[in-house]
Amino acid sequence: MLNIALPKGRLGDKVYNLLASVGYDCKSIYDDNRKLVFENEELGVRYLLVKPSDVAIYVEHNAADIGIVGKDILLEYEPDVYELLDLKLGKCRMAVAAKSDYVEDQNRTLRVATKFVNIAKEHYAGMNRDIDIIKLNGSVELAPILGLADVIIDLVESGNTIRENNLKVVDEFKQISARLIANKSSYVFKKEEISQMVDSLRIVV
Amino acid sequence: MKLQIESLRPEERVTLQLRGLYEAYGYKKYRMSRFEEYSLYAANKKFLAGENVITFTDLDGRLLALKPDVTLSIAKNTKANRENREKPYYIENVYRESKESHTYKEINQMGLEVIGNVDRYTIIEVLSLAERSLNAISAQSILSMSNMDFVLGFFEELNLEEESIRKIFNCLRKKNENELEKAGKEAKLSDAELKILSKIAGMCGDFQKTLSEAKEIAINNTMRAALEELSEIYKALRILSIGKKIQLDFSIINDTDYYNGIVFKGYVAGIPRSVLAGGEYSVMMEKMGRDADAIGFALYLNELQSLSTTRPLYDVEAIVLYGEEIDCGKLALSVRKLKNEGNRVIALKKITEGLRYEKLYRFSQEGLKEVTGQC
């Protein structure tokens, strides 16, 4: 039995449809209930619906053998897992954004508001730029408007949220998409099943 | 119930079993101090699992550290050379940062090293002991191994900058073919070279099958020699009837500043991470100015805690309840008698809440009497 951690929400739905299209369906997932575990015993798959940011934790700790998670989470938390496939779903960019009239003053410490503390640190360390990080958990776009930060680092998909809040993208530095990850121990003991799934997905992505 | 080896926690049982095994092969227990000069770790940060070390200033002003690693201390203090070999084994606590909780953690490690002349027999002995160690934990275990010279041999051809090699190695370790392609293109590798890299990332599993796949992409003598060595080692492991428990995985690449040649990792079903890691580290010995080769492995006993064990049905088989004004000598004798019958016994005045027991006895002036109908 292969335990698959799926992120709850839009991305999870897309990923499930992709998996179902290559033969790993589990009809009960469409039932309107609050269950978080769905199983198709015949096909040997069990889906676990978890919070997107928790997928990597489930996989790293072997509560799930494989999982589908955004590259942003992998960059931020660097879990000790195998990253086997880019599913090319949920595509977006990790970007630096600021108020539309923003001009950087390189003579002072840059204040960066973000959910992705480690990504921000690494990005600016690469430029040797001194920064102050302000960790926020949501509505990051507010930070430059209210003067809380000079710039934000966040995921940008269409760019609408950025524009509507009178911000502009200053720099896009990472391409993000959904990745299929596997627990290292599971990969040893369930290699055939995992490889089979990866191979069939590789054809359709 | 007598104390039996099966009733011990897995990490306790394994420690006992493996001490016997290692000593039978001539390994000697090496007991070391809990502290080590910090400078040893400052100079060898890349060898450690994490950068942070617990340091303190000793009363004589020296900067010391609580050991984050055992191998470095053994390598530093050894008197072995190519003529005189040492075979230490150890059971020690090391102190490392936990990435998850951002706190320091005490980790119980057991392992062994061979320092001196490391020939093919030695490698086979260490590999077979690593396999036996995993088997002592569970029959459902696999030892994944590689010969780093195979991958390093491929890089000999490429003339890449250190940063590109670091990036490519990281992708290989994660079996991340997508990023590997990107990193390879950035390093201006040709399509044929990219193809080989992507094959290396995916090459793991059954030893013989993977070995023949690897033979197809070997492009120079270093790579071919590495595979030849693997093939010879596998022959010997098959004679020892442990061939089925050994797999090949070319994505195992340890830090090249310390390791070379044979490297391996051990997995046990039900434990999320590798429980055993090791390899040849002659490069480190050379770095430390020692005229010796070395190979060894460590077993992370802490990881064994995630193995599920069946909790015994009862905490004790018998409880003896006693009141005031009794003959304590006779009570002690009754308790001893029950214990000698193979029971775990507790004598109490009042039953402790939550205590699970099989039989309840009451001790009074008349002697010991079983109370029936209660549990």
Side-chain angles (χ1 to χ4, degrees), chain B residues 176-189:
Chain B
N176 188 342
E177 291 180 34
N178 284 92
E179 305 279 333
L180 191 63
E181 199 183 330
K182 261 187 228 162
K185 278 185 179 158
E186 265 175 37
K188 303 202 168 50
L189 297 189

Side-chain angles (χ1 to χ4, degrees), chain B residues 87-294:
Chain B
K87 292 173 80 176
Y89 82 89
Y90 59 85
I91 307 163
E92 294 284 339
N93 286 336
V94 294
Y95 303 86
R96 292 181 181 172
E97 60 173 313
S98 158
K99 246 179 85 184
E100 276 156 9
S101 61
H102 293 291
T103 51
Y104 284 106
K105 215 173 141 188
E106 188 178 49
I107 296 168
N108 195 217
Q109 247 189 29
M110 180 168 197
L112 60 81
E113 322 281 346
V114 181
I115 303 172
N117 181 19
V118 173
D119 55 9
R120 192 161 293 162
Y121 168 76
T122 312
I123 295 173
I124 289 158
E125 181 183 289
V126 170
L127 282 169
S128 71
L129 286 174
E131 190 282 328
R132 288 288 90 193
S133 304
L134 291 172
N135 200 57
I137 302 168
S138 161
Q140 269 188 294
S141 55
I142 292 285
L143 188 70
S144 285
M145 65 176 287
S146 173
N147 189 343
M148 272 170 59
D149 293 344
F150 178 73
V151 178
L152 297 180
F154 176 63
F155 280 82
E156 271 174 16
E157 303 283 318
L158 305 179
N159 278 328
L160 295 180
E161 281 177 19
E162 210 168 296
E163 180 57 19
S164 307
I165 296 180
R166 191 189 62 83
K167 269 191 189 166
I168 292 175
F169 277 1
N170 280 341
C171 296
L172 281 174
R173 286 183 188 118
K174 288 201 168 285
K175 298 187 192 293
N176 188 342
E177 291 180 34
N178 284 92
E179 305 279 333
L180 191 63
E181 199 183 330
K182 261 187 228 162
K185 278 185 179 158
E186 265 175 37
K188 303 202 168 50
L189 297 189
S190 69
D191 284 351
E193 289 162 344
L194 282 175
K195 215 171 161 190
I196 293 180
L197 264 187
S198 129
K199 278 197 175 156
I200 292 176
M203 272 193 310
C204 65
D206 179 76
F207 201 104
Q208 279 171 311
K209 197 173 147 239
T210 313
L211 192 66
S212 31
E213 283 170 18
K215 276 179 185 159
E216 284 169 24
I217 59 161
I219 50 169
N220 59 25
N221 286 340
T222 317
M223 292 175 89
R224 280 187 279 271
L227 297 180
E228 185 54 35
E229 187 182 14
L230 283 172
S231 168
E232 289 298 317
I233 289 171
Y234 189 64
K235 261 188 218 162
L237 296 174
R238 279 187 67 180
I239 292 171
L240 291 169
S241 312
I242 52 173
K244 279 192 181 150
K245 304 293 284 291
I246 316 282
Q247 290 190 352
L248 259 188
D249 183 350
F250 287 107
S251 73
I252 305 175
I253 305 170
N254 293 4
D255 195 310
T256 48
D257 283 349
Y258 298 91
Y259 289 93
N260 59 305
I262 301 297
V263 286
F264 48 91
K265 277 188 173 172
Y267 294 93
V268 170
I271 300 183
R273 283 171 274 264
S274 62
V275 288
L276 183 147
E280 284 185 81
Y281 53 93
S282 305
V283 181
M284 178 172 94
M285 298 306 288
E286 202 184 314
K287 207 174 164 183
M288 289 198 160
R290 310 268 170 215
D291 177 32
D293 295 327

